Amino acid sequence: MFCILFVKSCTSWHSPENGATCKPGSCGENDQMCECLLTIEHRLTMMTTNPPMLVRPYNGSLYLYNDTNHRFPLSDEKVAGVITGDGYGSRLVIAINGKFPGPTIEAYEDQTMIIHVRNLMHTDSTTIHWHGMHQKGTPESDGVAFISQNPILPGKTFTYKFTAQPHGSSFYHAHIGDQRSMGLYGGFIIYPKDKFSSQPQVGFTVLLQDWNHDDEPETLYQRMINGVYDLSKNTLIEPTQSVDGANFSRFHMHSALINGKGRYYTGYNDRYNRKTFTHNNAPLETFEIQYSYSHRFRVISAATLYPFRVYVQGHRELNIRASDGFEIVRGTGNNSRDLIVESFIIHPGERFDFTLNANQDRGTYLLVAESIEDLSKKTPPEYHAAEAIIRYKGTSSTYPNKDSSAHSRCTSSTPCVTFNCPYLYYPNYDNRLCITFDEANSNERLSKFKEVQIADETLFFNFAFPGELGNTPGSVNGHQFISPTSPILTNEKDLTTHCRNTDCGEDKICNCTYNVELSSDRVYQFVLTNLGNGRGWSHPVHLHGHYFYVMKMGFGRYNKVSGKFLTSTTDIECIGSKNYCNSARWANINWTNAGNSIPGLQLNYPPEKDTIIIPTGGYVIIRFKANNPGAWFFHCHIDLHNTNGMGMVLLESKDKYPHKDLSSGGDSSGKRSYHIIFLFTFLGLAFSLA
């Protein structure tokens, strides 16, 4: 018998495999522990189960492949067992507890989480990272392959144990290779102790993903390196750009999904050369709201590459409540006010909570997450967006059409406001204003911003693709990251891929396990840059083990009419003859590295975050206190950039690592998991005998 003690009730499990499966409601608010199981396996989209049969979409319903007259729509029970994706074809995905994406785990702040992960994939190893959890005292449960643990081998089970902190919208996802792109992710919502009585906390979880019909993780990565081709036309597919001209890497996006569902749009030019789109009528996720009530939406980007601009059809005002779990507003003190916008941009790894006032005509509307690609020159036309239905309670379940008036509501006299832009301007004809993230302020009652008002040390990190033609890998300060062969958290002495001064430098590109040591309790100021000849792509950078304060964002120079990027910021000077920007300093010698002489620093209630976009040609200044010993991965959250080497490790307070007796952060044989199980089994037996 496997029995967890020290909770109000004792759950008897014979093994992790027959316990609770992490469904919402698995964790009670008054429980001290929350325990459940995630089973990882491969599935195919657009297939029924028992027996397996191919299905096709039509008019928002699913039909068996041979029901060509669409006479017998599948029952709700049958549909619940089908992974639809965008309804196009049938491709391989990774399912969690039979679902795609995995179940949203709902827990409560400060609960002890015990989550068993069973890998039933036949040939692939995996790990799970709990994105947003700080893992204070439990760095071995951070879930990064070869940083905090060895991968979980096929057929093995591994147990993660950590404290649910901090509160807010987070998610879990694979952290080995590019498995997230196949669906190995799910929501992770931590309800706060402080109920924020003026705001609803229970709401809707919205998981976003960009979607490709053909490519699995390794294929996606190889195509980023070698190029994407249209084999029907024998042509090279060029990467797209955002409105400012910043590049997206080679990952051809066909559509996008909300909670694993989407519609595939195809476009053509009509006889008047107007762009026209049709879609395949695949079923969408539906959120039911009640008139005159305020509803919370927790939007989480599990995307592989692309940012999305999120808006709600027919509802001009979204009240942004939180980002990466931390409450935000505009202004401080008596000048504090709600952050009301028409839309916001979310990048891979970010989370945004907004509340929607249900005050429009009762009916159905679309929640839309459009790619911020500039697709104006695509032939034939393409449209890439994730969509879900927002239905007022008591109205019929009709499918709304795409909002053809979405742009007309933005006028020169009443421009639309978009939050979290990775650039400063939209083209004039869009009638759209940008608010960058550093214009927000923290609304956290217990914010500890005063402890970072003076920095002890400043470090510059350039996230970019520098190098000579033919050798421009993803890197941080010119170091293309190479994973260790055993977890650096517990086996640093075994590291064989050290960074050597002879190989790395201002004008060199090197391949190694790039790491920097941080001293305990010092306040670090990181200047995250995207400069030099490797700039041109915006990067959402995620810090494990911490949140940080966003002190300032610095941008380059733009054409205010067209919105196009012109030149990089002049605030920072790149050092070196090749302009790799592997080393940098402030251009103004009066901007001291440790002080507050930098103009524009947000010193009063700066917003907290754990993932921030670094604009091309610009920089972001963040601060945090090194008060969490561990080996923390610090990387671009675009899967393909991370796999290509755009990451590093922060070795923090090495002398204070917890669990120093562990021989491995994640024993791939599952021994550590079973040792925990044995311990609880023994305790349970002793308790029953007593």
Side-chain angles (χ1 to χ4, degrees):
M1 179 183 70
F2 178 44
C3 187
I4 293 295
L5 301 181
F6 316 120
V7 293
K8 287 191 173 181
S9 60
C10 191
T11 304
S12 296
W13 292 12
H14 291 289
S15 70
E17 286 76 11
N18 63 3
T21 54
C22 299
K23 295 179 181 178
S26 297
C27 308
E29 183 172 2
N30 296 319
D31 293 341
Q32 295 179 28
M33 290 189 179
C34 175
E35 183 178 17
C36 59
L37 168 72
L38 298 176
T39 298
I40 314 298
E41 59 188 337
H42 284 115
R43 289 275 306 274
L44 289 174
T45 64
M46 300 301 286
M47 297 288 294
T48 62
T49 56
N50 300 322
M53 295 186 71
L54 184 69
V55 298
R56 298 188 302 172
Y58 180 76
N59 200 27
S61 298
L62 295 179
Y63 297 81
L64 292 178
Y65 74 99
N66 54 2
D67 184 2
T68 55
N69 294 321
H70 307 112
R71 297 175 59 192
F72 305 105
L74 265 62
S75 66
D76 291 344
E77 182 181 0
K78 279 284 188 183
V79 169
V82 177
I83 295 173
T84 59
D86 69 352
Y88 180 93
S90 179
R91 65 154 288 183
L92 189 70
V93 296
I94 299 175
I96 307 172
N97 294 352
K99 301 295 182 182
F100 166 83
T104 293
I105 300 173
E106 297 179 356
Y108 296 86
E109 194 172 12
D110 293 338
Q111 279 184 331
T112 297
M113 307 299 300
I114 301 175
I115 303 180
H116 310 284
V117 176
R118 179 173 57 164
N119 181 9
L120 293 188
M121 294 185 289
H122 293 162
T123 57
D124 292 353
S125 299
T126 194
T127 64
I128 300 291
H129 169 56
W130 313 95
H131 188 111
M133 297 295 99
H134 295 166
Q135 301 293 349
K136 201 155 191 177
T138 54
E140 75 281 359
S141 283
D142 195 41
V144 185
F146 301 114
I147 306 300
S148 57
Q149 70 171 98
N150 283 324
I152 308 168
L153 297 178
K156 299 298 183 180
T157 298
F158 181 78
T159 297
Y160 295 91
K161 183 179 179 181
F162 56 92
T163 302
Q165 289 178 346
H167 60 254
S169 301
S170 297
F171 68 121
Y172 60 90
H173 61 80
H175 219 304
I176 184 171
D178 300 307
Q179 289 178 346
R180 191 175 84 236
S181 69
M182 286 187 72
L184 210 170
Y185 64 88
F188 193 20
I189 310 303
I190 308 298
Y191 293 114
K193 288 180 176 178
D194 183 341
K195 302 299 182 182
F196 298 101
S197 57
S198 63
Q199 303 176 22
Q201 288 297 316
V202 176
F204 305 108
T205 300
V206 181
L207 287 153
L208 299 178
Q209 183 180 1
D210 40 13
W211 193 241
N212 178 284
H213 293 155
D214 309 313
D215 296 336
E216 297 170 9
E218 298 306 321
T219 311
L220 282 177
Y221 179 71
Q222 290 300 320
R223 295 205 194 286
M224 188 194 82
I225 300 299
N226 299 293
V228 181
Y229 292 83
D230 184 337
L231 299 181
S232 65
K233 299 178 181 178
N234 294 321
T235 57
L236 176 67
I237 299 175
E238 295 294 339
T240 53
Q241 297 180 326
S242 54
V243 294
D244 65 330
N247 300 310
F248 295 113
S249 295
R250 298 186 190 100
F251 163 40
H252 191 197
M253 179 180 177
H254 290 121
S255 60
L257 311 177
I258 290 178
N259 295 350
K261 299 176 183 178
R263 300 193 287 202
Y264 175 49
Y265 280 85
T266 54
Y268 60 93
N269 292 318
D270 65 15
R271 59 186 179 136
Y272 302 106
N273 204 32
R274 295 175 302 193
K275 293 181 180 181
T276 305
F277 296 96
T278 60
H279 59 74
N280 61 348
N281 286 291
L284 298 179
E285 182 80 328
T286 298
F287 304 112
E288 184 180 82
I289 62 176
Q290 189 165 346
Y291 183 78
S292 79
Y293 281 74
S294 182
H295 298 268
R296 192 180 192 103
F297 288 79
R298 299 174 181 269
V299 184
I300 299 166
S301 178
T304 299
L305 173 65
Y306 290 97
F308 294 97
R309 185 178 68 85
V310 179
Y311 67 91
V312 177
Q313 181 187 49
H315 296 68
R316 189 182 172 95
E317 293 189 347
L318 308 182
N319 192 340
I320 305 296
R321 297 293 192 179
S323 179
D324 298 354
F326 296 95
E327 303 285 321
I328 55 175
V329 290
R330 292 203 76 178
T332 61
N334 294 331
N335 295 320
S336 176
R337 61 196 186 279
D338 286 339
L339 180 51
I340 305 293
V341 300
E342 179 267 347
S343 59
F344 62 90
I345 293 175
I346 185 169
H347 303 85
E350 289 189 305
R351 294 89 69 204
F352 281 98
D353 294 19
F354 70 88
T355 52
L356 180 73
N357 191 1
N359 58 4
Q360 300 300 305
D361 293 340
R362 293 175 176 86
T364 55
Y365 299 85
L366 285 176
L367 169 63
V368 183
E370 289 183 343
S371 164
I372 68 168
E373 298 166 280
D374 179 4
L375 300 173
S376 59
K377 297 180 181 178
K378 279 285 187 179
T379 303
E382 294 183 20
Y383 177 65
H384 304 154
E387 297 171 334
I389 295 173
I390 293 179
R391 179 169 61 85
Y392 278 73
K393 188 175 183 179
T395 60
S396 59
S397 299
T398 57
Y399 268 54
N401 293 320
K402 183 180 178 297
D403 190 353
S404 59
S405 63
H407 291 287
S408 63
R409 64 183 174 183
C410 307
T411 65
S412 57
S413 58
T414 57
C416 293
V417 176
T418 297
F419 180 54
N420 197 39
C421 296
Y423 31 72
L424 288 181
Y425 305 100
Y426 273 90
N428 268 4
Y429 57 77
D430 270 358
N431 296 312
R432 187 173 294 282
L433 300 178
C434 278
I435 299 178
T436 55
F437 188 83
D438 61 336
E439 295 182 61
N441 290 89
S442 172
N443 194 36
E444 286 288 331
R445 184 173 61 86
L446 301 178
S447 177
K448 299 180 179 179
F449 71 93
K450 291 184 178 179
E451 69 180 14
V452 300
Q453 286 189 321
I454 299 294
D456 295 314
E457 185 175 351
T458 295
L459 299 173
F460 287 78
F461 295 107
N462 193 40
F463 289 77
F465 291 98
E468 304 291 347
L469 185 65
N471 180 33
T472 57
S475 63
V476 182
N477 288 351
H479 302 75
Q480 182 181 26
F481 187 80
I482 301 297
S483 288
T485 56
S486 57
I488 194 172
L489 174 68
T490 52
N491 297 65
E492 186 185 354
K493 64 181 184 301
D494 297 334
L495 184 64
T496 59
T497 50
H498 292 279
C499 297
R500 295 177 173 83
N501 292 334
T502 54
D503 301 324
C504 308
E506 294 172 358
D507 296 316
K508 297 178 181 179
I509 303 298
C510 56
N511 311 86
C512 56
T513 304
Y514 185 34
N515 60 79
V516 171
E517 293 190 21
L518 303 182
S519 300
S520 181
D521 294 323
R522 286 174 66 82
V523 174
Y524 284 91
Q525 176 172 273
F526 284 3
V527 184
L528 312 180
T529 64
N530 185 352
L531 299 172
N533 66 2
R535 64 135 185 92
W537 296 258
S538 296
H539 301 293
V541 172
H542 174 53
L543 174 60
H544 290 224
H546 286 275
Y547 65 89
F548 48 74
Y549 296 89
V550 180
M551 311 301 293
K552 179 182 178 180
M553 297 184 74
F555 290 81
R557 190 164 63 89
Y558 293 79
N559 183 309
K560 295 182 181 181
V561 176
S562 67
K564 295 298 183 184
F565 173 84
L566 297 176
T567 58
S568 294
T569 179
T570 57
D571 293 347
I572 294 173
E573 178 184 350
C574 294
I575 302 171
S577 61
K578 293 185 177 180
N579 196 33
Y580 290 174
C581 216
N582 294 344
S583 181
R585 62 190 169 211
W586 296 119
N588 189 329
I589 60 173
N590 295 318
W591 292 16
T592 59
N593 281 339
N596 292 328
S597 58
I598 302 166
L601 282 180
Q602 178 71 277
L603 295 172
N604 193 22
Y605 284 95
E608 296 108 321
K609 221 172 184 322
D610 61 45
T611 307
I612 189 69
I613 188 70
I614 310 177
T616 182
Y619 64 94
V620 180
I621 301 175
I622 66 172
R623 289 181 183 178
F624 66 96
K625 188 174 184 179
N627 56 8
N628 189 14
W632 305 117
F633 204 34
F634 187 37
H635 64 102
C636 176
H637 214 269
I638 292 173
D639 252 6
L640 302 174
H641 295 182
N642 175 42
T643 306
N644 194 232
M646 197 174 289
M648 61 179 295
V649 179
L650 301 177
L651 300 175
E652 181 179 340
S653 310
K654 290 170 58 176
D655 58 321
K656 296 183 178 181
Y657 279 4
H659 309 297
K660 293 180 70 173
D661 57 323
L662 292 175
S663 61
S664 170
D667 188 346
S668 61
S669 68
K671 290 179 181 178
R672 179 171 171 264
S673 303
Y674 297 134
H675 289 167
I676 293 173
I677 293 169
F678 176 80
L679 173 62
F680 282 119
T681 304
F682 176 79
L683 290 173
L685 179 61
F687 182 79
S688 62
L689 290 175

